[in-house]
Amino acid sequence: MLSFENDYSCGATPEILARLAEANTTTFPGYGSDDICASAKAKIREACGAPDADVWFLVGGTQTNQTIIDAITPPYAGVVAAATGHVNVHEAGAIEASGHKVLTLPHHDGKIDAKELNEYCATFYADANYEHMVFPGCVYVSQATEYGTLYTKAELEAIAEICHAYHMPLFVDGARLGYAITATGNDVTLEDLARIADVFYIGGTKVGALFGEAVVFTHHGDYSDTPKHFLTLIKQHGALLAKGWLLGLQFDTLFTDDLYMRIARHANEAADRIRATLRDKGYTLTFEAPTNQIFITLDEPTRERLEEHVRLGFMERADETHTVMRICTSWHTTDDQVEELLALL
Amino acid sequence: MLSFENDYSCGATPEILARLAEANTTTFPGYGSDDICASAKAKIREACGAPDADVWFLVGGTQTNQTIIDAITPPYAGVVAAATGHVNVHEAGAIEASGHKVLTLPHHDGKIDAKELNEYCATFYADANYEHMVFPGCVYVSQATEYGTLYTKAELEAIAEICHAYHMPLFVDGARLGYAITATGNDVTLEDLARIADVFYIGGTKVGALFGEAVVFTHHGDYSDTPKHFLTLIKQHGALLAKGWLLGLQFDTLFTDDLYMRIARHANEAADRIRATLRDKGYTLTFEAPTNQIFITLDEPTRERLEEHVRLGFMERADETHTVMRICTSWHTTDDQVEELLALL
Amino acid sequence: MLSFENDYSCGATPEILARLAEANTTTFPGYGSDDICASAKAKIREACGAPDADVWFLVGGTQTNQTIIDAITPPYAGVVAAATGHVNVHEAGAIEASGHKVLTLPHHDGKIDAKELNEYCATFYADANYEHMVFPGCVYVSQATEYGTLYTKAELEAIAEICHAYHMPLFVDGARLGYAITATGNDVTLEDLARIADVFYIGGTKVGALFGEAVVFTHHGDYSDTPKHFLTLIKQHGALLAKGWLLGLQFDTLFTDDLYMRIARHANEAADRIRATLRDKGYTLTFEAPTNQIFITLDEPTRERLEEHVRLGFMERADETHTVMRICTSWHTTDDQVEELLALL
Amino acid sequence: MLSFENDYSCGATPEILARLAEANTTTFPGYGSDDICASAKAKIREACGAPDADVWFLVGGTQTNQTIIDAITPPYAGVVAAATGHVNVHEAGAIEASGHKVLTLPHHDGKIDAKELNEYCATFYADANYEHMVFPGCVYVSQATEYGTLYTKAELEAIAEICHAYHMPLFVDGARLGYAITATGNDVTLEDLARIADVFYIGGTKVGALFGEAVVFTHHGDYSDTPKHFLTLIKQHGALLAKGWLLGLQFDTLFTDDLYMRIARHANEAADRIRATLRDKGYTLTFEAPTNQIFITLDEPTRERLEEHVRLGFMERADETHTVMRICTSWHTTDDQVEELLALL
């Protein structure tokens, strides 16, 4: 059956599989101390325009969020996130399991607002009893967000400014970063992100890799240094892959010849075509989102009709008679699949 | 200066001090294994009409909330509470520090609503991805609430019913339980609470004791047994007092001759008089609350005038020109103090 | 340079790579809910002779140890392990980070002794103050151990008996289980293990897979059920792989045509040949170990001479003038590599 | 029955009770922000000869150990302690529950040795895999130790030197500090301790107070500053007493007219008399310890005979026919009690 259910259903780009086959019998040192990891890190630093950045490879998103947030948030503090943020809703309490509260702000199509962040912090420190409360210790945003929306450069800069005014690092979850950077209308480049964020990651799992997230500590200011003994912290969180070279190999491939951006752009183009048709046909797009995730609000008959032929992602019940569903393209979406979906719509 | 700032400013009832002086040179076994603790537990069981209940003594509120919630909440679950609940706002992240998320419901004058709780749980289990989310594992309410309001018996019963339908214990924070039970119009007796709640505590710190909270596991159903090796869990949370008899002695005194209820009623009577005058004088009562905490919304000139003569508690800014302040009576509030305050108003 | 440094240096068996290439463009549901995982689990259950067993796939060893131990150990308890156990020494505090103490027993060539375990527990419960101490909550052993040694069936049965007498599950870390089962002289089959242990895992990372550990809850007694909502617990520990089918695919391949055992036996045969030569040449074998790890105590000149030509693993300084080094064969060790090493010796 | 079971059986010095009665109706601000706490802190700083020291009051020993160790130990590190240390054996896993491993050194009559500490650290950092292990992050010692023994000034200085060489604070558990400082032959004054240790506490629970431990961050070097937002950390650990003035009042009294030292010396003198008689009568003293705890190794008939008339503390079985028991004097031990015990011996 046709599936636009999510962007982590298939394996990896053929380039990665080929490279893997090639490297399979080489003897690598463990835990990421190999040459391919070094090469991948160099390429990422270059792509970020951040020669001082420090790059690490982890396996998956929740693991990465948990490990980073626990490492950069002081023990008396929590992480500020949108109420809809992945760390608040869909990580089974991984953040709290490592001892930190998620402090929520209202979301606007999945995004937090710099002014509301400022107000939150100002109110916190103005409270006579703030020492009895959980300090805002770092800020988590996703680019793209859980709703496929994007922060503009100005929005991210405004958030970063508030973060630093309140001595907090800004952490950007880039599980779908490729789809963000190559989206139509996006104005935040990888270099911008490396300049604005204190730490972020470049998602591989959803963008061409079998698995893997490349964490970048940007080392450009007071809040962006790698936490002390970060390797040990990764290990302590059960997140250190023995064959770290598998991660390096994938990112080294993705950051060769712009592969990462090329395959992400491909997914966005497919999404753009689907969005155009949805608009033409009068479908309700739930959010104005330019990336590979398209949310549509469907009445039940339409939903049932579509789901006979194509697997979509369930988002939430909108009301008694409508459901929000997700159409998700991916680096591996083919033209045929898009055509087939367009025909269904 | 006159103070109605809070209800934990003074020492203990004279009866407790006398008893303490008397017992001071007796040699007691440690950690609550003494006869006075046994006697106090028996009296509490009797007052609760709960011969099977299991009683424990801890030192303070946050400590008690942390220890109980950690002990009764499964590792894959969090605690459901009002967004304004003490555990969510004013415990410095103690709940998350022991690994559990606080799952918030909207509050209605500090209270959660059984229907909204039901809806929350129903929506949770209806979500296709609920296994990736934090399970609702127990429910926390306060009687009286942080805003001095009270649950009715019907409200508590409705909440308990939902709790049990979703296999959750109902935990009632009774830091101000005395003031709740003896409030004008309250219909929830100690026996009712012991019948409805799975675990609750009877606050001593704010009601006549130097310190101490008496935890009652009600042992009346599937969710109200004492957690296994609870003494060890108390110790592990740093909450086991070496001289446990100090706690037993205080509760044994408070539960002799109805002292606990008598002194609580005294505070409520003082609050009732103040409330009557506030209403007469046209003050804005922020909440309809019948217990020892009175919240009033004051304009700045009035607040400044009052604060020249009496210490009040700060609650929050209401808007640009108004502030919510708290007048808090206590077991040790004297008639003279009340008269002085009424004169000021 | 020739390397016998460890058994996680290379990729995967060619069968796995081929299968991966084949499945690469298939659309799989996420998080292990796919058909290949189901197939792999069925094969593992069959190989274990345990039709009721429950199988889960995780990514790496420390992660697996942390997740399982946290899930099966009560909050008032710790895990009993050899002082040399991986969880005690080489996991960066992952067990303690999830709140549990590692309670250590002396080791005998890496193994714990049933009698000493019994004595430990008996002493614990005989202590008047045991409620102030950390309860023994589960027992962790490795097969093969960190020193390459093996428990006999009788030894494991004796340990399991003590475990159950004290209401503890027996957890067997099988990161190198293939090398254990196929070792010369071993008398513990996979079926035996599934009958004796309460939970164990079959290591893939070190035995033919790119990564992956197959956890088996044996479901044969009071201590071997899967913990409630284990998927959520895995996610909470950051250990749930989005593309779970990658794990299923590898184990499905390894448990087809006895591949797992065949490649493990191959490594042991290489080790046997090396051991024979070492003995012939008068080298000191540090432990009597029949698996793929060979520890030798070398004087400095010999160590330096060898390390010019072959990479060995560092174990520890034996004394001022000797070092314990590890020769580690693997499923990918070639005859040529063995010959080359033998020539060096 | 006569009891020498422990030093936390009775209430408080009469001076404290009198002061409490006096202060009972005063209205104090909460959480230690009152004038009596300020006065007590000033007196403690003066007694320590440490004008820059920062003083905090907590309720009990395990709570204090847990809160301090969690606050001063980096997340990638554990606390080094004697295998017999209270934090390793008798705190129900409180240290691990807050995420840190206890790294043990062998004990010598309850004490660790600076040379062995140095060797431990040197070996740790020399290990090629130390980043996979738990770093030594701080050092915990008790003065007096669990066996009643004392570190000499030279021993403590040597330990502190090693601590600082490896960037670790030295934390001294002074639950029985009064008995240590006033013991015959002791050469470590309070001033010495404040100069040598980075953080320590002055025990009240066992030395004249109802409860309470005064924590001193000595602020004299790189490792002795108060952790950031320590009040919040105390609250998060459930260790912040609402009526903090109760703690201040007790320490203010104990540090007036040298009361703390006077009552401690009294207990030591009683112990000295008992020790002299024990030696005269040929009893076996298990340790050479000069403080208020006396350990004796008794054969069964003697133990049974004594326990008919006096309650002693159980320490451990020494062998098949002997038990180590504790005679514990205290600030409230009377001459009559001593005479009665001597008669029994």
Side-chain angles (χ1 to χ4, degrees), chain A residues 169-182:
Chain A
L170 171 60
F171 166 39
V172 180
D173 170 339
R176 290 188 173 98
L177 190 58
Y179 304 128
I181 289 180
T182 61

Side-chain angles (χ1 to χ4, degrees), chain C residues 79-85 103-118 120 138-142 145-146 149-152 155-156 158-160 162-163 168 170-171:
Chain C
V79 50
V80 181
T84 51
L103 303 163
T104 55
L105 291 182
H107 80 103
H108 306 281
D109 290 357
K111 300 191 289 179
I112 62 169
D113 177 80
K115 274 185 204 151
E116 289 174 355
L117 173 62
N118 187 30
Y120 181 91
C138 73
V139 171
Y140 165 95
V141 301
S142 312
T145 70
E146 288 68 22
T149 53
L150 293 180
Y151 287 90
T152 65
E155 286 171 340
L156 278 184
I159 289 170
I162 305 300
C163 285
M168 299 183 289
L170 171 59
F171 166 38

Side-chain angles (χ1 to χ4, degrees), chain C residues 88 90 92 96 101 132-133, chain D residues 88-90 92 96 101 132:
Chain C
N88 191 46
H90 285 108
E96 293 83 3
K101 191 179 188 72
H132 294 240
M133 296 160 65
Chain D
N88 191 46
V89 183
H90 285 109
E96 293 82 4
K101 192 179 187 72
H132 294 240

